[in-house]
Amino acid sequence: MAGTPRNPALSGKQMLSEQVYAHLKDAIMRGDHAPGDALKPQDLAGERGVSLAVTREALVRLVGEGLADRLPNRGFAVPSFSDQRWQEIAEARRTIEPAMLRMSVERGDVDWESRVRAAHHRLVRTPAYGPEGGEYYTGAWAEAHRVFHRTLLEGCGNRALLETFDRLWTASELARRWSAHRDPDRDGAEEHRRLEEAALARDADTAAAVLVRHLTLTAAALADDQVRTAD
């Protein structure tokens, strides 16, 4: 029985949309488009040499991931760093993740301990900044950072909670980049070291407290108007 015929035109459009999406996502993550900047479909389409439909499709996808806003009668824009959503996400993370970390400290086995040590070592050894990162930290460091935090929580053994962590982490990636840029003197490396140390010492109270403070400082840099972006 013959399969469904492929539609070369549709396939080509999807490929172009994927390319535009990847380009725009990278540009936003690098800081090429600042918080609150308009993302004008016509201008972006012209820059990439693609159709308006392809560009809009890519922008809608970015909206779905929280990397762009769709504004009534005004097109698209990069979210603002002062948007209330970042504080709400931070509140959700402060509610869920310390409880998960406590569970990990109680349930994690020797293999979990080894993976936490390895994830922290990778994070420490990965340069946070480089030319490919633009104004913000690099993609390689961002991934090492994600793996470290997720590994800390994986000892809880609860897949539903880990899926919630994954969603909240993705939704807050822009906030983390902006926060680090607005508070360059923050010693994140020391905060991560204390997290690893408390977790592996099986000190659930200290580990949870350090994590709450860690998450609070990230959100605070976006809420405090006194913190200025370094030139």
Side-chain angles (χ1 to χ4, degrees), residues 8-186:
L10 181 60
S11 177
K13 179 184 176 184
Q14 289 174 334
M15 186 178 299
L16 284 173
S17 179
E18 177 66 29
Q19 291 172 355
V20 173
Y21 158 79
H23 170 78
L24 287 174
K25 180 176 181 178
D26 182 63
I28 292 170
M29 290 296 189
R30 282 171 48 88
D32 296 344
H33 298 288
D37 275 1
L39 297 170
K40 300 178 181 178
Q42 287 187 320
D43 293 347
L44 295 171
E47 291 172 6
R48 301 300 296 172
V50 298
S51 71
L52 195 58
V54 164
T55 303
R56 285 186 177 278
E57 185 176 307
L59 285 166
V60 167
R61 185 173 171 186
L62 290 169
V63 170
E65 296 184 359
L67 299 178
D69 287 337
R70 191 165 194 169
L71 309 177
N73 303 317
R74 289 191 293 153
F76 300 84
V78 178
S80 168
F81 73 80
S82 59
D83 194 307
Q84 182 60 24
R85 84 181 71 177
W86 311 125
Q87 303 305 320
E88 292 175 352
I89 292 172
E91 182 179 55
R93 294 187 64 195
R94 286 195 300 266
T95 301
I96 296 169
E97 292 180 32
M100 294 175 67
L101 184 53
R102 285 180 178 278
M103 293 166 66
S104 287
V105 168
E106 294 170 3
R107 301 175 181 177
D109 56 14
V110 173
D111 180 61
W112 170 74
E113 290 182 356
S114 298
R115 289 187 289 111
V116 169
R117 288 191 185 280
H120 183 253
H121 180 73
R122 179 187 175 196
L123 179 61
V124 170
R125 300 289 290 181
T126 303
Y129 295 93
E132 68 276 20
E135 293 186 356
Y136 304 136
Y137 50 69
T138 66
W141 189 88
E143 176 60 10
H145 187 212
R146 183 194 69 80
V147 169
F148 172 66
H149 275 270
R150 196 182 198 282
T151 302
L152 276 172
L153 305 182
E154 284 175 350
C156 76
N158 188 308
R159 288 183 294 178
L161 285 172
L162 288 167
E163 288 171 1
T164 300
F165 165 82
D166 290 338
R167 289 193 297 272
L168 290 173
W169 185 273
T170 299
S172 57
E173 180 57 33
L174 269 180
R176 277 189 295 279
R177 289 169 185 258
W178 293 341
S179 177
H181 189 55
R182 285 170 59 82
D183 189 9
D185 296 328
R186 179 181 171 189

